[in-house]
Amino acid sequence: QFAMRSDPQVLADARAASRLQDDEDLTRFLVEMEDAIFGSFRSVKVGETKELEQLHAQLSGIEMIRAKLRSLVDDGAIAQQKSK
C-alpha cells in the first residue's frame, strides 16, 4: 500500500513528470520501442499466442508509463488548485 503524499511531494512529482513528458529523448525512446513492438507484431505468425501476449504486455508497459506521467501531472494540478 502506498502512503499518502504531501502536497509539496505531489507538486514535485508533477514537475518531474512534466519534465519527463517534455523530454525529447525519452519521447523518442518510447516511440522507437513502440515501432519495434509493432514491427515484431507484423512478423508474428497466426497462432503464436505467447509471442502476441508478450508484445501486448510490452506495449501496455509503455502506455502505463505515459499514463503514470499524465496522472502525476494531473495530481499536481489538483494539488495546486487546492492550495489557492
Side-chain angles (χ1 to χ4, degrees):
Q1 180 128 18
F2 294 100
M4 291 295 295
R5 295 175 294 151
S6 64
D7 282 351
Q9 184 60 52
V10 169
L11 293 171
D13 289 348
R15 286 189 297 274
S18 182
R19 278 193 307 273
L20 289 171
Q21 284 180 320
D22 294 340
D23 186 281
E24 291 178 17
D25 290 325
L26 178 61
T27 299
R28 181 173 48 91
F29 297 151
L30 293 175
V31 168
E32 288 173 359
M33 290 168 62
E34 284 176 323
D35 289 347
I37 291 166
F38 284 122
S40 295
F41 175 77
R42 285 190 291 273
S43 69
V44 173
K45 293 180 178 40
V46 174
E48 291 181 337
T49 55
K50 202 58 142 174
E51 180 71 19
L52 289 173
E53 288 173 1
Q54 289 175 339
L55 293 169
H56 183 267
Q58 291 172 7
L59 201 54
S60 293
I62 292 170
E63 184 50 40
M64 287 176 65
I65 291 169
R66 288 189 173 119
K68 179 63 174 180
L69 294 176
R70 281 191 305 271
S71 174
L72 290 168
V73 170
D74 291 347
D75 290 350
I78 292 167
Q80 195 166 21
Q81 285 294 332
K82 281 190 345 187
S83 69
K84 289 185 179 183

